[in-house]
Amino acid sequence: MPNRTLLIAGNWKMNNDVAEAAKLADELAQALPEVPAGVEVLVCPPTIDITTVHDRIQAAPIALGAQNVYWEAKGAFTGESSCDMLKSAGCTYCIIGHSERRDYFHESDEDQNKKAKALVAGGIVPVFCCGEPLEVREAGTYVEHVVAQVKAGLEGLELASADQLVVAYEPIWAIGTGMTATADDAQEVCHAVREALVELFGAEMADGIRVLYGGSAKPGNIAELVAKPDVDGALVGGASLKAADFSEMVVKAAE
């Protein structure tokens, strides 16, 4: 197994106004003055909070990401943010393809493909999300469903190195529901994702790309998840909104 650095990424979703974001960022910086060897930490606040959080985590080993991006460089795209804008605000990562974007805002695989290419070209690492709803899981076609998302969303993406891309597998039925895929469930699909990455980028590159699990990951299950050979960390929702829980996950992931 390659020595991939674990990534514990917090997706704050649409939570925390500027004052609340400043408070949480301060608490995280205090809780994580250092990060255990072999682990990287990332937080992705709402766009309105990015500059505030950036200023608050300067002294801490915490990377900053956005939750969305638009693929055009500039122009009449009201409400959107470009790669250059995110980069100028301190972002080095950006979540794309989250199930909530796909479902509520009807974003397509083609949209994710454009975003992924724009981000890599702009020097920001996409955290590309993929995952299945409950009906697909129950039908038993979840591996095919997720692999199709990965191949369509990342087709034609050109990588110079494996650290230019992160993939996050998030079973939609386990997001915010308290239901969690077992570590074996996570490994099964994360392994299939890695095999799809081999097809897209070759074995050597795919071996170095980190594949995260997202879906009710918390302090109680993070160690078991990251013990699996193809699970390289977690995309954390609810638990990332509490500094104590999130920092505990970072520590436990490294144990």
Side-chain angles (χ1 to χ4, degrees), residues 34-105:
E34 297 178 353
V35 171
V39 182
E40 183 181 358
V41 180
L42 166 66
V43 293
C44 299
T47 306
I48 196 77
D49 298 329
I50 285 173
T51 53
T52 297
V53 173
H54 176 259
D55 292 344
R56 301 285 180 150
I57 61 174
Q58 284 296 292
I62 301 173
L64 181 66
Q67 297 178 14
N68 192 25
V69 69
Y70 195 61
W71 53 81
E72 296 288 354
K74 60 178 61 178
F77 305 104
T78 300
E80 297 294 334
S81 303
S82 70
C83 293
D84 284 348
M85 290 174 180
L86 298 180
K87 198 169 183 179
S88 72
C91 292
T92 53
Y93 289 84
C94 180
I95 298 169
I96 59 171
H98 194 282
S99 59
E100 292 158 4
R101 299 296 314 177
R102 294 177 187 265
D103 187 13
Y104 305 152
F105 303 102

Side-chain angles (χ1 to χ4, degrees), residues 150-168:
V150 171
K151 289 183 177 179
L154 300 178
E155 180 185 8
L157 184 67
E158 295 184 4
L159 300 178
S161 62
D163 60 4
Q164 289 182 293
L165 173 67
V166 173
V167 178

Side-chain angles (χ1 to χ4, degrees), residues 54-246:
H54 176 259
D55 292 344
R56 301 285 180 150
I57 61 174
Q58 284 296 292
I62 301 173
L64 181 66
Q67 297 178 14
N68 192 25
V69 69
Y70 195 61
W71 53 81
E72 296 288 354
K74 60 178 61 178
F77 305 104
T78 300
E80 297 294 334
S81 303
S82 70
C83 293
D84 284 348
M85 290 174 180
L86 298 180
K87 198 169 183 179
S88 72
C91 292
T92 53
Y93 289 84
C94 180
I95 298 169
I96 59 171
H98 194 282
S99 59
E100 292 158 4
R101 299 296 314 177
R102 294 177 187 265
D103 187 13
Y104 305 152
F105 303 102
H106 312 293
E107 293 187 2
S108 65
D109 289 330
E110 183 183 9
D111 293 335
Q112 309 320 321
N113 190 259
K114 290 177 181 177
K115 290 181 181 187
K117 289 174 178 174
L119 287 167
V120 170
I124 295 177
V125 179
V127 180
F128 177 88
C129 297
C130 53
E132 82 280 1
L134 185 59
E135 58 269 23
V136 172
R137 164 64 61 162
E138 290 178 337
T141 56
Y142 52 93
V143 169
E144 297 94 321
H145 179 91
V146 172
V147 166
Q149 284 183 327
V150 171
K151 289 183 177 179
L154 300 178
E155 180 185 8
L157 184 67
E158 295 184 4
L159 300 178
S161 62
D163 60 4
Q164 289 182 293
L165 173 67
V166 173
V167 178
Y169 165 57
E170 39 154 27
I172 299 168
W173 48 271
I175 299 174
T177 62
M179 296 172 63
T180 310
T182 67
D184 287 337
D185 290 336
Q187 167 61 20
E188 178 190 16
V189 183
C190 288
H191 179 68
V193 167
R194 197 170 309 281
E195 290 184 328
L197 294 174
V198 170
E199 289 188 42
L200 289 166
F201 304 112
E204 184 177 356
M205 185 75 77
D207 254 6
I209 295 172
R210 290 179 289 185
V211 180
L212 312 183
Y213 168 77
S216 297
K218 47 190 179 288
N221 61 18
I222 187 63
E224 184 183 11
L225 287 165
V226 300
K228 295 298 180 180
D230 287 299
V231 181
D232 305 314
L235 180 59
V236 186
S240 72
L241 298 174
K242 298 178 181 177
D245 287 351
F246 190 64

